[in-house]
Amino acid sequence: DAVRQTVRRLNEGLALTAGDETQKPLLTEDDGKVLREIVWLRDAAQFAVGDATDPLERAERLFDWTIRNIQLIPDDAPTEQRLPLLPWHVLVFGRGTALDRAWLFQLMARQQGLDVVLLAYSDMSEKDLAAGDGKRWWCAALALEGAATVGKPAGLYLFDTRWGTPIPGPDGKGVATLSQAAADDKLLRALDIDEKHLYPVRAADIQKVTALVETSSPYLAERFAKLEAALGGEDKLSLSVNREAIAANVKKLLHVDRVQDWPLRDVRFAASREKPAYEALSKQLLAFSRRPRDLTTGRVGTPPLWRARVRHISGKYYENMDETDPALRRPMIVRWYQMARPAESDLGSLQLDTLNWEQLHRMKQHASYWLGLASFDLGNYDTAATFLSLVLKEEANGGWTAGARYNLGRTYEAQAAAAQDPVSGG
C-alpha cells in the first residue's frame, strides 16, 4: 500500500519518532492518509495558481479553479447527497456544497501561504460554528495586510462559493473587501438577478462578522509541525496553522467581531465513520476502484478512473513532465480518462449483471465529464465542448448537468477569446 510505504519512509528517513525510550514511529497510517490529502491540496493549488505571484491574483485563480472543478451540491439537496465529505472526497468526487467549496478554497490557499477565513454572521450559534454546517455562514475571504499586495488596501477580500463569484468591487472592478461591502450596499445589490432572485445578504447584515479559521487537529499536531520543518524544496507542505497570528491580523480589520477556531475536518471525519455515511461513501468510490483485467494474461491493472482522477486534481496531465522541450510532453490525461470509458458493446454485454453494469456505466459518465474539464485546461476548447455537450445530451449523465452547463459556457467564452487573439488565446 502506497500510503503505508510513504509513512514508513518518512519515519525512517527523517527520524520521526516520539522521542521516548520506546522510539515508536511518530507518524501513523491514518496520518499518511491525511498527508496524501494535503499533497493533493498542494498540487491542485500549484496547478491552479500557475505563474501568478500577486496574492490576490493567486486567490482569484484558486477560487476560479474551485468553482470550475467542484460542482455545487445545493444546500437543500436530499440528505443522501449531502454526505460528510473530507477534502480528499471533494477533490476526487468533484462535487461539494458551498461550504465544502469554501473549506477547500481555504485549505488550498493555505498551501500557497495565503490566509483565507470563512465569514459567518455574528449571531451564528456555537453549535453551528463547531459543526460548520449551519446556514448562518456567508462566504470565504482572503485576509491581506496593506503591504502584502501593491496598490490594494488591507482587508478581507470576499469570495462567495454559493453564487460562484467574487463579490465585485466598486464600479464592478476587482474584488470587494468586507469594509467596502459593509459600507455600500450597492456592491451586494450588483449580484441581484431580478426582483424574485435577490442576493440574500445586505450591508446591514455584515456590520459584525465572525471569522472562522480551519484548525482541525492534524494542523495543530506537533508531529505534523516537525515534519513540516523537515520538508523543503519540491517536497514542502504547509502542515500547520499559526492560528494566533492569523487571529491577530484578522481581528485588526474592520467589522470583524471575533475570530473562531473551526475544526471541521475532525467533525467530518467522525461523521464519515458512522455506518450509514461510511457505506454511502464506499458506494460512491466503487466506480473509482474498478480494475481492468487483461483477457490474455489475466493480470489486473490499476483502476483507470482513480489513476486519471488523481493526476487530474494534481495537475499532472503530461507524460515526461521533466522534459525541457515542451514538444516532447504528451498530455496523457486524455488517454487515461479514455481507458475509463468502456465501449457501449462492452456495457451491453453486462445488462444482466446489474451491479457491474452500474459501476462501469457510472465510471464512463464521470470520465466523459472530466475529459471536458481536462481538455479545457489543455486549451483544446473544441474537444472540451464536444465532451461537455455529450454529457448534456444524456439525461442519465451521472448528475453532471449543472457542472457541464457551467463549464460549457466557460468553454464558449474561451473559444471566443481565442478567436479574437489566436496567438495568446490558445
Side-chain angles (χ1 to χ4, degrees):
D1 180 85
V3 170
R4 191 178 297 113
Q5 291 177 10
T6 299
V7 169
R8 178 177 54 79
R9 288 198 299 268
L10 286 172
N11 280 324
E12 293 175 354
L14 300 175
L16 294 175
T17 60
D20 56 25
E21 64 274 7
T22 63
Q23 292 296 294
K24 293 180 180 178
L26 199 61
L27 299 175
T28 67
E29 187 173 340
D30 283 340
D31 289 334
K33 294 176 181 178
V34 177
L35 289 173
R36 181 182 64 181
E37 173 182 285
I38 295 174
V39 168
W40 288 353
L41 290 165
R42 178 201 63 188
D43 291 349
Q46 287 177 345
F47 178 76
V49 164
D51 59 359
T53 56
D54 177 80
L56 182 55
E57 183 183 355
R58 284 189 286 146
E60 290 179 275
R61 292 191 182 189
L62 287 173
F63 181 78
D64 182 68
W65 186 96
T66 302
I67 299 306
R68 285 193 299 109
N69 285 273
I70 308 301
Q71 178 177 277
L72 183 65
I73 298 174
D75 290 340
D76 59 355
T79 303
E80 59 268 19
Q81 294 182 25
R82 292 182 287 110
L83 296 172
L85 303 179
L86 297 172
W88 74 267
H89 290 131
V90 179
L91 286 169
V92 170
F93 294 157
R95 308 174 199 253
T97 62
L99 183 69
D100 294 329
R101 283 173 157 187
W103 186 24
L104 198 69
F105 176 47
Q106 183 173 149
L107 292 178
M108 289 173 64
R110 180 171 294 172
Q111 295 305 312
Q112 285 287 311
L114 301 174
D115 292 334
V116 169
V117 296
L118 186 71
L119 300 184
Y121 302 115
S122 58
D123 62 346
M124 191 173 180
S125 71
E126 291 293 332
K127 180 180 179 181
D128 282 344
L129 284 172
D133 291 325
K135 295 181 179 180
R136 298 296 295 161
W137 69 273
W138 173 32
C139 69
L142 169 70
L144 283 186
E145 298 181 54
T149 183
V150 177
K152 299 179 180 68
L156 288 165
Y157 287 78
L158 307 174
F159 297 85
D160 192 318
T161 55
R162 279 195 179 96
W163 284 54
T165 182
I167 306 298
D171 300 321
K173 298 178 181 179
V175 183
T177 65
L178 175 61
S179 294
Q180 291 170 335
D184 186 359
D185 192 59
K186 291 180 182 178
L187 299 183
L188 300 176
R189 301 285 58 79
L191 295 173
D192 293 342
I193 298 174
D194 54 40
E195 292 183 358
K196 293 184 179 180
H197 301 88
L198 302 177
Y199 187 68
V201 180
R202 295 191 171 276
D205 301 326
I206 55 173
Q207 296 305 309
K208 290 185 177 182
V209 299
T210 295
L212 306 181
V213 181
E214 216 288 0
T215 53
S216 297
S217 56
Y219 291 100
L220 300 179
E222 184 179 350
R223 63 189 183 281
F224 271 46
K226 184 176 182 180
L227 176 58
E228 179 179 3
L231 297 174
E234 294 182 356
D235 295 325
K236 184 174 176 57
L237 293 168
S238 293
L239 300 176
S240 60
V241 57
N242 189 338
R243 54 184 173 179
E244 292 80 9
I246 295 174
N249 289 333
V250 172
K251 196 70 170 62
K252 296 175 186 176
L253 301 173
L254 294 176
H255 305 288
V256 176
D257 183 45
R258 57 177 171 161
V259 180
Q260 176 86 22
D261 282 359
W262 186 40
L264 184 58
R265 195 184 194 285
D266 298 336
V267 175
R268 287 288 184 85
F269 181 77
S272 71
R273 308 307 289 181
E274 296 290 334
K275 185 175 180 180
Y278 185 85
E279 290 178 347
L281 290 168
S282 297
K283 184 177 180 180
Q284 286 197 20
L285 286 166
L286 287 176
F288 297 87
S289 61
R290 293 288 310 194
R291 294 177 178 270
R293 181 181 294 276
D294 189 304
L295 297 179
T296 304
T297 65
R299 293 178 180 174
V300 177
T302 303
L305 188 59
W306 179 262
R307 177 170 61 175
R309 192 66 188 137
V310 170
R311 284 160 174 76
H312 190 172
I313 61 182
S314 300
K316 298 175 181 177
Y317 290 12
Y318 292 90
E319 188 177 54
N320 300 327
M321 289 292 292
D322 295 330
E323 293 286 357
T324 55
D325 184 357
L328 298 177
R329 299 178 185 171
R330 294 187 296 166
M332 295 296 289
I333 190 73
V334 173
R335 179 182 173 186
W336 292 322
Y337 273 132
Q338 288 286 18
M339 291 173 64
R341 300 179 72 249
E344 287 299 320
S345 57
D346 294 335
L347 288 173
S349 66
L350 291 172
Q351 287 285 1
L352 297 180
D353 187 347
T354 305
L355 181 59
N356 273 326
W357 180 87
E358 181 181 343
Q359 291 176 15
L360 287 171
H361 190 61
R362 185 57 51 84
M363 181 174 74
K364 184 173 184 177
Q365 291 169 333
H366 293 338
S368 296
Y369 173 67
W370 286 321
L371 268 167
L373 269 61
S375 298
F376 178 94
D377 288 339
L378 291 167
N380 299 330
Y381 302 129
D382 290 344
T383 303
T386 296
F387 278 108
L388 294 170
S389 297
L390 180 65
V391 171
L392 291 174
K393 286 179 181 178
E394 298 291 334
E395 189 171 326
N397 58 15
W400 291 115
T401 298
R405 185 177 291 129
Y406 174 79
N407 281 288
L408 184 59
R410 294 291 300 271
T411 300
Y412 289 151
E413 288 179 347
Q415 283 179 318
Q420 293 178 358
D421 185 4
V423 175
S424 61

